Amino acid sequence: MLSLLDSEGGHMGLGTEVRMARLFAHPSANLFGAAVDHFIGYGGMRSGGLADLPGAIAKIMESPPDTVTMLGGSARHIWPSYAGRAALIVQGGMFTPDDRVRELTATPEDAARLGADALAVAIGVRGEHEGAYLRWLSDTVRRAALLEMPVVAHIYPRDYTDGTKIVFNPEEIAWAVRCGLETGVDVIKVGHPGDERAFADIIRTCPVPVVMAGGPKTATFVEALTQIESGMRSGARGAVVGRNLWDAPDVVGAAKACAAVIHDGLPAEEAAGLAAPGASG
């Protein structure tokens, strides 16, 4: 059961409550999300699972996840065929790890016009622009409250010791979760910190639902499922999977496997068998 407390300490309005219920609509009360919002920070438009974005979404929707996160432009052109089959989350944040690009490209009003159930905002924390990113979130939360539009924060800690890279250690994931909490978002998405007990402590002390990022592409699909399984044991409310879903050899089977781990508690090794032979690794 979701907490109905909002960021101001009162109760969610009906609009926010209804939209949050759509995100976590599965009887398990957990969320399996697909993310196809990979653009500026990733590149590679001619190769990989998103080279054909409409085709990738079509495959994903053969075994629909609970939510799909995508940028507003692609939602406008592609999502009408799938409306009502999953909750739509519009991604409003766009940045590169080195901050070469850092822009808000969609507002809560844009998400509402597109029929979305939530607005996601991806931010990087640590580094010289951390304060500006936190302002993105706090301003977006304030604006979204007027429309009762939930805000899902995708928060990525960065390390500048040797170039710029996104990191997932427990200290930085704890910081990312606290940033989401203090800016008043409704759902926090972070990477798995690689330590099940530490992740459990982080989640236990956060009154906001925490879901996992699918993470970088793993060597095998079983490895991706094992990470999701570990996060669920830690108390995560689900996972939003990108590269380990749409870049899988069997996208439909991969979606079924992720759902089985998140919703049914199936062990990773067993769930991997739902993907075509040779696709699970």
Side-chain angles (χ1 to χ4, degrees):
M1 182 69 179
L2 290 172
S3 169
L4 300 185
L5 291 179
D6 68 15
S7 60
E8 301 298 326
H11 287 275
M12 285 184 183
L14 179 59
T16 304
E17 185 178 341
V18 167
R19 291 181 176 95
M20 287 287 284
R22 288 177 186 151
L23 302 183
F24 293 90
H26 192 275
S28 69
N30 295 326
L31 179 156
F32 164 41
V36 293
D37 56 342
H38 304 66
F39 177 40
I40 288 292
Y42 298 86
M45 296 298 102
R46 298 190 62 198
S47 62
L50 293 187
D52 175 5
L53 182 57
I57 294 173
K59 288 180 183 178
I60 289 168
M61 295 304 292
E62 287 186 42
S63 182
D66 305 307
T67 69
V68 176
T69 302
M70 58 201 309
L71 291 160
S74 51
R76 178 186 174 198
H77 293 292
I78 300 171
W79 192 248
S81 298
Y82 306 105
R85 294 176 57 190
L88 173 64
I89 302 175
V90 168
Q91 175 61 262
M94 184 183 296
F95 77 98
T96 55
D98 63 359
D99 290 329
R100 176 181 62 84
V101 175
R102 52 186 184 94
E103 301 291 342
L104 276 173
T105 60
T107 66
E109 292 84 359
D110 293 327
R113 281 191 290 269
L114 290 165
D117 290 300
L119 176 68
V121 179
I123 71 165
V125 291
R126 304 304 194 189
E128 63 177 306
H129 299 298
E130 182 174 48
Y133 280 123
L134 295 177
R135 176 60 64 86
W136 276 17
L137 279 184
S138 58
D139 286 352
T140 298
V141 167
R142 189 177 304 109
R143 195 166 174 178
L146 300 176
L147 299 172
E148 303 214 10
M149 176 68 65
V151 175
V152 182
H154 298 190
I155 309 180
Y156 300 94
R158 298 168 298 177
D159 180 83
Y160 297 87
T161 304
D162 182 18
T164 304
K165 59 184 178 182
I166 293 172
V167 292
F168 301 97
N169 63 68
E171 189 67 28
E172 294 302 326
I173 293 302
W175 175 248
V177 169
R178 179 57 63 90
C179 288
L181 174 62
E182 299 296 359
T183 51
V185 303
D186 300 282
V187 181
I188 300 169
K189 187 188 97 167
V190 291
H192 192 295
D195 182 325
E196 190 171 308
R197 180 173 294 181
F199 202 24
D201 288 340
I202 293 166
I203 293 171
R204 176 180 53 80
T205 57
C206 180
V208 177
V210 175
V211 299
M212 287 172 285
K217 187 74 163 63
T218 54
T220 68
F221 184 54
V222 173
E223 187 179 337
L225 290 176
T226 299
Q227 180 172 274
I228 293 172
E229 181 184 10
S230 171
M232 298 304 293
R233 284 196 298 265
S234 294
R237 293 291 305 277
V240 179
V241 188
R243 285 160 288 185
N244 288 306
L245 175 59
W246 44 256
D247 228 8
D250 175 12
V251 175
V252 177
K256 291 177 180 177
C258 290
V261 173
I262 293 166
H263 292 316
D264 304 323
L266 206 65
E269 292 279 351
E270 187 176 344
L274 297 172
S280 58

